Every structure is written in C-alpha cells, then in structure tokens.
Amino acid sequence: MNTTPKIPVVSKKVLIPFILVTSLFALWGFANAVTDPMVNAFKKVLELTNTQASWVQMAFYGGYFCMALPAAMFMRKYSYKVGVLIGLGLYAGGALLFYPAAITEQFWFFCLGLYVLTFGLAFLETAANPYILAMGAKETATQRLNLAQSVNPVGLIAGLLVAKYFVYDKLQSDDIADFSALDEAKRAMIKVADLAVIRDPYVVLGLVITAVFVLFLVSKMPQSKEEGVMPSLGQTFKKLGSNSKYVLGVVAQILYVGAQIMTWTYIYQYAEAIDLSNADVPGYEKIDVFAYQFIAFVLFTVGRIVGTAMLRVMSPGKLLMMFALLAMACVAGAIFVEGIFGLYCVVGISFCMSLMFPTIYGIALNDLTEEQSKVGSAGLVMAIVGGALLPMLQGMIIDAGGSGVADTTIMGVAEVNFSFILPLVCFVYIAWYGMHVFKNHEGTVA
C-alpha cells in the first residue's frame, strides 16, 4: 500500500499571495475579451478595411513583445511585487489614454493606448506566471498554473459582456447597413457618439486597475530567492537556447496565441458571412454573435477545469497533443462546413484551446532554475506577439476579394472560411510539440 502523501498544488502558507496573484489572470483576460470585438467596432465606426482594423490586435499584442524582455530584466534585479505594481500602473495609464483618444478621433491614438496598456500586461504576465510556478513543488507546477489560469476565463466572460452590453448594443454605426452612404454631418455625429461608447469601458477599467494597484501596494507578498551568485544574462540566454523543450515551446506559444486571437476575433466576420448568405431567406434572423462568443468562453472555462483535473492522471505533453488534435478537427469543420454548423465548430475550438497556454508555459519552464524562469518567462510572454501578426495575415486573406467577408471563394469555400487554415496550421504544430514532449521528456509518465 502506497502511504506517500500527495503533494499539495497550493500550500496553506502561500494561499493568500496565490489568490492575490491569481486575480491578475482575470484582469488581463478582461482586457483580451473587451478588445477583440473592437476590431469590428473600429472597422465600422472609422470605415476601415479588415487589414487596417487588425492594427488593434497588432498594437495590443505587439506591446507584449516589446516590453516582456525589459520586464524580465527588471525583475532579475527587483521583486515580483514591484513588477506587478509597474504592470498595474501601465495598465491603468494605457486604459485612461482612451479618453483623449476619443476627443481627437484618431485611430492611432486608440492603438497607442492599447500599446501602453499591454506594456502593463507584459509586466503582469512576466511576473505572475513564473511566480505561480514557484509557489510550491515542481511536480505540481503545471497543475498550479492551470488552476491560476482557470480564473482567466472569468475575466474573458466579464469582458465579453461589457463589450456587448456597454459597447456593441450602443453603437449606432452597427445598426446602419451602409454607414459610408450617410451624409458627412450625420456620419460625424455618429462617429463622436460611437467613439465615446468605445472609450467609456476603458476609462472605467483604468480607474478599477488604479484601485487594484493600491491593494497590491499595501499587501505583503513573499519573494522567493535562489541562493548563490546570479548568473550573467548571457549565460542565462545560452542555457535557454540550448534547451530544445523551451525553444520549441516558445514557437508553440506564438502559434497558440495566434490561433486563439484569430478564432476569437474573426468569429464576428464568420457570423457576418452566414448572415449575408441568408439575407434573402424569408424570416431569417441575424445571428447574435455575442451569444456564440459567450458560449465559446464558457466552453473555454469548462475546458480549463477539465484539463486541470486530467493533469492529475495524464502527462502534460500527452494531454496537450490530444486537445490539439481535437482542435484540428474543429477547425477543419469551420473551414469546410459552411453555415451555422461551421459556426458551431468555431465555438468548439475554444474548449480545445483552454489548457494550451498554461500547459505549454509549464512544460517549457518546468526544468529551469528560478533565474532562468524569469528570463524564460519573458520569451513566452513575447510569444504573445503571435496574436499581433497572425490575425493580420488572416485579415489579408479575408480581404482577398474586397473589404467584405465573403467577396470570393478559395478552394470552394468563402474567403472567411478558408482563412481558418492559419489556426489549423498552428494546431498541427502544437499537436506535434505535445507528442515530442511526451515521447522525449516524459518517458513512461501516464
């Protein structure tokens, strides 16, 4: 009989810090979800193409790429808590920039606000992810990160609800079939009103984040320190570069984040294509895409919970491979099954993606020292740049036949359907990475 006690995922002595840091995962989940629909909102209000509107994602996820490494270098010298405070300050500042941006009515100013906001998110994620991994035994690190990340969908759902009820439902331009056909004065009046609607959630968010900043400022947060002399940054980079599991994990994370943002951003265009194809059908009602996005986020939440539980009995690499294979099947359905059933497949992708980010993160950092993890974490946060680059490529595919979403067909399907070939390629690599880790690094682990 095995009497070995089970290693706790989170010990009682770090429970309060764990809860505080875990709350941050909801905050960047909220920012992600409230920003994704803004691609379509800005497209209509400012009369942009799909490619131009995708600069929202370029600014949002590009900020991660630019600030992650400086954040990691800062935290090599200072504590996780100081990193969190700087992150919260930048997060609040970027959100509050939406106020002057709405006054100027300049698209680049909104993008600047998002860029600064994600400087803050880069600090938060670079600090929070390795901090959670360090709050206990290495054997339970991936489970602990999946548990913390399970709060992320709460922020996603909240962000989606705010985007729907406080932005989309109040946008006048969304109710007009051909906004560009209105006279100049009417368009200008609607633009002012709609940009104010887009502005308000971010300004409120900035004030909330300011309050969270004060909460962390007065809270005591333990700081884990390794004994001995800190290795040089060059030595750390060399060690990371020679770790194939880490390097391949960074590539997997780039592709995962790209696939996630493409799926969540272009579900709106996917639904729009279905509406256009059924516009002449008597009694047809326009798809409430927010309802489907909400279901997608619920499935994402359920998948996180299921995935965290399955990690108790299955190795991370094997589970990652299984979920990626399931995602490939859903994406194939989204490409080749047109109409509402294709939309169901797009929604189903979210369940499959749920455990990928924290699992890839945990796998890539699992064998590293704390010093290596701080710098290695930056590489994985920089990988979020996939969310900036790949959606723009997908936008270019959708624009292949014009600024609409179904102006032409590619390989027999509408251009918006075919554009999901990019997430499919991403999941093929992730499935391979999971199999590679399982075969070469996990051995006979279940």
Side-chain angles (χ1 to χ4, degrees), residues 302-326:
V302 172
R304 271 279 162 85
I305 296 168
V306 171
T308 301
M310 291 181 72
L311 282 169
R312 302 286 288 183
V313 296
M314 189 176 293
S315 69
K318 185 176 182 181
L319 194 60
L320 178 65
M321 177 185 67
M322 289 174 57
F323 271 61
L325 290 171
L326 187 57

PDB file of all heavy atoms in Angstrom, residues 302-326:
ATOM      1  N   VAL A 302     -14.834  25.704 -18.954  1.00  0.00           N
ATOM      2  CA  VAL A 302     -15.042  24.279 -18.638  1.00  0.00           C
ATOM      3  C   VAL A 302     -13.812  23.466 -19.022  1.00  0.00           C
ATOM      4  O   VAL A 302     -13.359  22.588 -18.282  1.00  0.00           O
ATOM      5  CB  VAL A 302     -16.293  23.747 -19.367  1.00  0.00           C
ATOM      6  CG1 VAL A 302     -16.407  22.234 -19.217  1.00  0.00           C
ATOM      7  CG2 VAL A 302     -17.548  24.423 -18.833  1.00  0.00           C
ATOM      8  N   GLY A 303     -13.247  23.789 -20.197  1.00  0.00           N
ATOM      9  CA  GLY A 303     -12.051  23.071 -20.647  1.00  0.00           C
ATOM     10  C   GLY A 303     -10.879  23.254 -19.708  1.00  0.00           C
ATOM     11  O   GLY A 303     -10.121  22.312 -19.453  1.00  0.00           O
ATOM     12  N   ARG A 304     -10.731  24.460 -19.145  1.00  0.00           N
ATOM     13  CA  ARG A 304      -9.648  24.711 -18.179  1.00  0.00           C
ATOM     14  C   ARG A 304      -9.816  23.819 -16.953  1.00  0.00           C
ATOM     15  O   ARG A 304      -8.854  23.239 -16.443  1.00  0.00           O
ATOM     16  CB  ARG A 304      -9.681  26.173 -17.732  1.00  0.00           C
ATOM     17  CG  ARG A 304      -8.880  27.117 -18.583  1.00  0.00           C
ATOM     18  CD  ARG A 304      -7.391  27.075 -18.227  1.00  0.00           C
ATOM     19  NE  ARG A 304      -6.644  27.658 -19.336  1.00  0.00           N
ATOM     20  CZ  ARG A 304      -6.434  28.951 -19.491  1.00  0.00           C
ATOM     21  NH1 ARG A 304      -6.893  29.806 -18.602  1.00  0.00           N
ATOM     22  NH2 ARG A 304      -5.750  29.380 -20.530  1.00  0.00           N
ATOM     23  N   ILE A 305     -11.054  23.747 -16.464  1.00  0.00           N
ATOM     24  CA  ILE A 305     -11.330  22.940 -15.267  1.00  0.00           C
ATOM     25  C   ILE A 305     -11.092  21.465 -15.559  1.00  0.00           C
ATOM     26  O   ILE A 305     -10.439  20.755 -14.791  1.00  0.00           O
ATOM     27  CB  ILE A 305     -12.779  23.176 -14.783  1.00  0.00           C
ATOM     28  CG1 ILE A 305     -12.954  24.638 -14.345  1.00  0.00           C
ATOM     29  CG2 ILE A 305     -13.136  22.231 -13.643  1.00  0.00           C
ATOM     30  CD1 ILE A 305     -14.385  25.054 -14.121  1.00  0.00           C
ATOM     31  N   VAL A 306     -11.611  21.006 -16.701  1.00  0.00           N
ATOM     32  CA  VAL A 306     -11.428  19.604 -17.099  1.00  0.00           C
ATOM     33  C   VAL A 306      -9.954  19.300 -17.297  1.00  0.00           C
ATOM     34  O   VAL A 306      -9.438  18.268 -16.836  1.00  0.00           O
ATOM     35  CB  VAL A 306     -12.220  19.301 -18.388  1.00  0.00           C
ATOM     36  CG1 VAL A 306     -11.862  17.914 -18.931  1.00  0.00           C
ATOM     37  CG2 VAL A 306     -13.721  19.382 -18.126  1.00  0.00           C
ATOM     38  N   GLY A 307      -9.255  20.187 -17.982  1.00  0.00           N
ATOM     39  CA  GLY A 307      -7.832  19.975 -18.243  1.00  0.00           C
ATOM     40  C   GLY A 307      -7.004  19.922 -16.982  1.00  0.00           C
ATOM     41  O   GLY A 307      -6.107  19.078 -16.845  1.00  0.00           O
ATOM     42  N   THR A 308      -7.300  20.816 -16.028  1.00  0.00           N
ATOM     43  CA  THR A 308      -6.571  20.823 -14.753  1.00  0.00           C
ATOM     44  C   THR A 308      -6.772  19.508 -14.013  1.00  0.00           C
ATOM     45  O   THR A 308      -5.834  18.945 -13.434  1.00  0.00           O
ATOM     46  CB  THR A 308      -7.040  21.999 -13.871  1.00  0.00           C
ATOM     47  OG1 THR A 308      -6.820  23.225 -14.578  1.00  0.00           O
ATOM     48  CG2 THR A 308      -6.269  22.049 -12.560  1.00  0.00           C
ATOM     49  N   ALA A 309      -8.004  18.996 -14.044  1.00  0.00           N
ATOM     50  CA  ALA A 309      -8.298  17.716 -13.380  1.00  0.00           C
ATOM     51  C   ALA A 309      -7.583  16.560 -14.084  1.00  0.00           C
ATOM     52  O   ALA A 309      -7.032  15.662 -13.435  1.00  0.00           O
ATOM     53  CB  ALA A 309      -9.805  17.474 -13.358  1.00  0.00           C
ATOM     54  N   MET A 310      -7.560  16.583 -15.416  1.00  0.00           N
ATOM     55  CA  MET A 310      -6.939  15.496 -16.177  1.00  0.00           C
ATOM     56  C   MET A 310      -5.430  15.457 -15.992  1.00  0.00           C
ATOM     57  O   MET A 310      -4.810  14.405 -16.144  1.00  0.00           O
ATOM     58  CB  MET A 310      -7.294  15.630 -17.661  1.00  0.00           C
ATOM     59  CG  MET A 310      -8.760  15.359 -17.972  1.00  0.00           C
ATOM     60  SD  MET A 310      -9.162  15.502 -19.733  1.00  0.00           S
ATOM     61  CE  MET A 310      -8.366  14.025 -20.389  1.00  0.00           C
ATOM     62  N   LEU A 311      -4.836  16.619 -15.666  1.00  0.00           N
ATOM     63  CA  LEU A 311      -3.390  16.636 -15.428  1.00  0.00           C
ATOM     64  C   LEU A 311      -2.988  15.851 -14.188  1.00  0.00           C
ATOM     65  O   LEU A 311      -1.807  15.547 -13.996  1.00  0.00           O
ATOM     66  CB  LEU A 311      -2.904  18.091 -15.306  1.00  0.00           C
ATOM     67  CG  LEU A 311      -2.736  18.850 -16.627  1.00  0.00           C
ATOM     68  CD1 LEU A 311      -2.511  20.330 -16.371  1.00  0.00           C
ATOM     69  CD2 LEU A 311      -1.576  18.269 -17.443  1.00  0.00           C
ATOM     70  N   ARG A 312      -3.963  15.536 -13.344  1.00  0.00           N
ATOM     71  CA  ARG A 312      -3.681  14.704 -12.169  1.00  0.00           C
ATOM     72  C   ARG A 312      -3.380  13.262 -12.578  1.00  0.00           C
ATOM     73  O   ARG A 312      -2.696  12.536 -11.846  1.00  0.00           O
ATOM     74  CB  ARG A 312      -4.863  14.712 -11.205  1.00  0.00           C
ATOM     75  CG  ARG A 312      -5.282  16.070 -10.681  1.00  0.00           C
ATOM     76  CD  ARG A 312      -4.323  16.628  -9.655  1.00  0.00           C
ATOM     77  NE  ARG A 312      -4.375  15.950  -8.368  1.00  0.00           N
ATOM     78  CZ  ARG A 312      -3.668  16.305  -7.308  1.00  0.00           C
ATOM     79  NH1 ARG A 312      -2.839  17.351  -7.394  1.00  0.00           N
ATOM     80  NH2 ARG A 312      -3.751  15.650  -6.176  1.00  0.00           N
ATOM     81  N   VAL A 313      -3.890  12.859 -13.740  1.00  0.00           N
ATOM     82  CA  VAL A 313      -3.751  11.460 -14.148  1.00  0.00           C
ATOM     83  C   VAL A 313      -3.066  11.288 -15.503  1.00  0.00           C
ATOM     84  O   VAL A 313      -2.822  10.163 -15.938  1.00  0.00           O
ATOM     85  CB  VAL A 313      -5.141  10.768 -14.186  1.00  0.00           C
ATOM     86  CG1 VAL A 313      -5.751  10.714 -12.794  1.00  0.00           C
ATOM     87  CG2 VAL A 313      -6.090  11.480 -15.146  1.00  0.00           C
ATOM     88  N   MET A 314      -2.764  12.397 -16.173  1.00  0.00           N
ATOM     89  CA  MET A 314      -2.159  12.311 -17.508  1.00  0.00           C
ATOM     90  C   MET A 314      -1.032  13.328 -17.627  1.00  0.00           C
ATOM     91  O   MET A 314      -1.101  14.412 -17.053  1.00  0.00           O
ATOM     92  CB  MET A 314      -3.232  12.580 -18.572  1.00  0.00           C
ATOM     93  CG  MET A 314      -2.784  12.298 -19.995  1.00  0.00           C
ATOM     94  SD  MET A 314      -4.136  12.535 -21.204  1.00  0.00           S
ATOM     95  CE  MET A 314      -5.242  11.210 -20.735  1.00  0.00           C
ATOM     96  N   SER A 315       0.002  12.986 -18.356  1.00  0.00           N
ATOM     97  CA  SER A 315       1.145  13.887 -18.505  1.00  0.00           C
ATOM     98  C   SER A 315       0.766  15.102 -19.353  1.00  0.00           C
ATOM     99  O   SER A 315      -0.089  15.014 -20.242  1.00  0.00           O
ATOM    100  CB  SER A 315       2.313  13.156 -19.157  1.00  0.00           C
ATOM    101  OG  SER A 315       2.019  12.863 -20.509  1.00  0.00           O
ATOM    102  N   PRO A 316       1.395  16.258 -19.084  1.00  0.00           N
ATOM    103  CA  PRO A 316       1.066  17.479 -19.829  1.00  0.00           C
ATOM    104  C   PRO A 316       1.236  17.357 -21.341  1.00  0.00           C
ATOM    105  O   PRO A 316       0.396  17.812 -22.107  1.00  0.00           O
ATOM    106  CB  PRO A 316       2.034  18.512 -19.241  1.00  0.00           C
ATOM    107  CG  PRO A 316       2.322  18.030 -17.863  1.00  0.00           C
ATOM    108  CD  PRO A 316       2.334  16.526 -17.977  1.00  0.00           C
ATOM    109  N   GLY A 317       2.343  16.729 -21.779  1.00  0.00           N
ATOM    110  CA  GLY A 317       2.590  16.605 -23.212  1.00  0.00           C
ATOM    111  C   GLY A 317       1.521  15.799 -23.929  1.00  0.00           C
ATOM    112  O   GLY A 317       1.038  16.181 -24.997  1.00  0.00           O
ATOM    113  N   LYS A 318       1.135  14.693 -23.343  1.00  0.00           N
ATOM    114  CA  LYS A 318       0.124  13.825 -23.952  1.00  0.00           C
ATOM    115  C   LYS A 318      -1.223  14.527 -24.008  1.00  0.00           C
ATOM    116  O   LYS A 318      -1.940  14.462 -25.023  1.00  0.00           O
ATOM    117  CB  LYS A 318       0.019  12.527 -23.152  1.00  0.00           C
ATOM    118  CG  LYS A 318      -0.918  11.496 -23.773  1.00  0.00           C
ATOM    119  CD  LYS A 318      -0.892  10.198 -22.975  1.00  0.00           C
ATOM    120  CE  LYS A 318      -1.775   9.142 -23.606  1.00  0.00           C
ATOM    121  NZ  LYS A 318      -1.758   7.880 -22.800  1.00  0.00           N
ATOM    122  N   LEU A 319      -1.581  15.219 -22.935  1.00  0.00           N
ATOM    123  CA  LEU A 319      -2.866  15.916 -22.890  1.00  0.00           C
ATOM    124  C   LEU A 319      -2.885  17.072 -23.894  1.00  0.00           C
ATOM    125  O   LEU A 319      -3.898  17.304 -24.567  1.00  0.00           O
ATOM    126  CB  LEU A 319      -3.122  16.436 -21.470  1.00  0.00           C
ATOM    127  CG  LEU A 319      -4.552  16.896 -21.163  1.00  0.00           C
ATOM    128  CD1 LEU A 319      -5.538  15.750 -21.354  1.00  0.00           C
ATOM    129  CD2 LEU A 319      -4.645  17.420 -19.727  1.00  0.00           C
ATOM    130  N   LEU A 320      -1.764  17.772 -24.012  1.00  0.00           N
ATOM    131  CA  LEU A 320      -1.660  18.870 -24.978  1.00  0.00           C
ATOM    132  C   LEU A 320      -1.863  18.338 -26.396  1.00  0.00           C
ATOM    133  O   LEU A 320      -2.584  18.944 -27.204  1.00  0.00           O
ATOM    134  CB  LEU A 320      -0.290  19.541 -24.861  1.00  0.00           C
ATOM    135  CG  LEU A 320       0.003  20.692 -25.834  1.00  0.00           C
ATOM    136  CD1 LEU A 320      -0.926  21.875 -25.562  1.00  0.00           C
ATOM    137  CD2 LEU A 320       1.468  21.128 -25.711  1.00  0.00           C
ATOM    138  N   MET A 321      -1.263  17.217 -26.704  1.00  0.00           N
ATOM    139  CA  MET A 321      -1.398  16.611 -28.025  1.00  0.00           C
ATOM    140  C   MET A 321      -2.858  16.249 -28.309  1.00  0.00           C
ATOM    141  O   MET A 321      -3.382  16.531 -29.397  1.00  0.00           O
ATOM    142  CB  MET A 321      -0.527  15.354 -28.127  1.00  0.00           C
ATOM    143  CG  MET A 321      -0.663  14.607 -29.446  1.00  0.00           C
ATOM    144  SD  MET A 321       0.287  13.065 -29.457  1.00  0.00           S
ATOM    145  CE  MET A 321      -0.618  12.096 -28.241  1.00  0.00           C
ATOM    146  N   MET A 322      -3.532  15.659 -27.332  1.00  0.00           N
ATOM    147  CA  MET A 322      -4.928  15.246 -27.522  1.00  0.00           C
ATOM    148  C   MET A 322      -5.839  16.445 -27.772  1.00  0.00           C
ATOM    149  O   MET A 322      -6.684  16.435 -28.676  1.00  0.00           O
ATOM    150  CB  MET A 322      -5.406  14.462 -26.294  1.00  0.00           C
ATOM    151  CG  MET A 322      -4.788  13.095 -26.152  1.00  0.00           C
ATOM    152  SD  MET A 322      -5.259  12.296 -24.594  1.00  0.00           S
ATOM    153  CE  MET A 322      -7.044  12.291 -24.719  1.00  0.00           C
ATOM    154  N   PHE A 323      -5.662  17.513 -27.003  1.00  0.00           N
ATOM    155  CA  PHE A 323      -6.500  18.695 -27.173  1.00  0.00           C
ATOM    156  C   PHE A 323      -6.207  19.390 -28.508  1.00  0.00           C
ATOM    157  O   PHE A 323      -7.115  19.940 -29.139  1.00  0.00           O
ATOM    158  CB  PHE A 323      -6.299  19.666 -26.005  1.00  0.00           C
ATOM    159  CG  PHE A 323      -7.224  19.414 -24.843  1.00  0.00           C
ATOM    160  CD1 PHE A 323      -7.193  18.205 -24.159  1.00  0.00           C
ATOM    161  CD2 PHE A 323      -8.132  20.375 -24.431  1.00  0.00           C
ATOM    162  CE1 PHE A 323      -8.040  17.961 -23.090  1.00  0.00           C
ATOM    163  CE2 PHE A 323      -8.995  20.141 -23.364  1.00  0.00           C
ATOM    164  CZ  PHE A 323      -8.953  18.929 -22.696  1.00  0.00           C
ATOM    165  N   ALA A 324      -4.953  19.360 -28.956  1.00  0.00           N
ATOM    166  CA  ALA A 324      -4.597  19.971 -30.241  1.00  0.00           C
ATOM    167  C   ALA A 324      -5.205  19.190 -31.406  1.00  0.00           C
ATOM    168  O   ALA A 324      -5.667  19.783 -32.393  1.00  0.00           O
ATOM    169  CB  ALA A 324      -3.079  20.050 -30.388  1.00  0.00           C
ATOM    170  N   LEU A 325      -5.215  17.871 -31.306  1.00  0.00           N
ATOM    171  CA  LEU A 325      -5.838  17.043 -32.348  1.00  0.00           C
ATOM    172  C   LEU A 325      -7.338  17.323 -32.431  1.00  0.00           C
ATOM    173  O   LEU A 325      -7.907  17.411 -33.530  1.00  0.00           O
ATOM    174  CB  LEU A 325      -5.588  15.559 -32.069  1.00  0.00           C
ATOM    175  CG  LEU A 325      -4.146  15.074 -32.251  1.00  0.00           C
ATOM    176  CD1 LEU A 325      -3.995  13.639 -31.742  1.00  0.00           C
ATOM    177  CD2 LEU A 325      -3.732  15.159 -33.724  1.00  0.00           C
ATOM    178  N   LEU A 326      -7.973  17.480 -31.281  1.00  0.00           N
ATOM    179  CA  LEU A 326      -9.395  17.801 -31.246  1.00  0.00           C
ATOM    180  C   LEU A 326      -9.641  19.194 -31.860  1.00  0.00           C
ATOM    181  O   LEU A 326     -10.615  19.403 -32.598  1.00  0.00           O
ATOM    182  CB  LEU A 326      -9.904  17.761 -29.806  1.00  0.00           C
ATOM    183  CG  LEU A 326     -11.419  17.902 -29.586  1.00  0.00           C
ATOM    184  CD1 LEU A 326     -12.188  16.828 -30.345  1.00  0.00           C
ATOM    185  CD2 LEU A 326     -11.740  17.832 -28.094  1.00  0.00           C
TER     186      LEU A 326
END
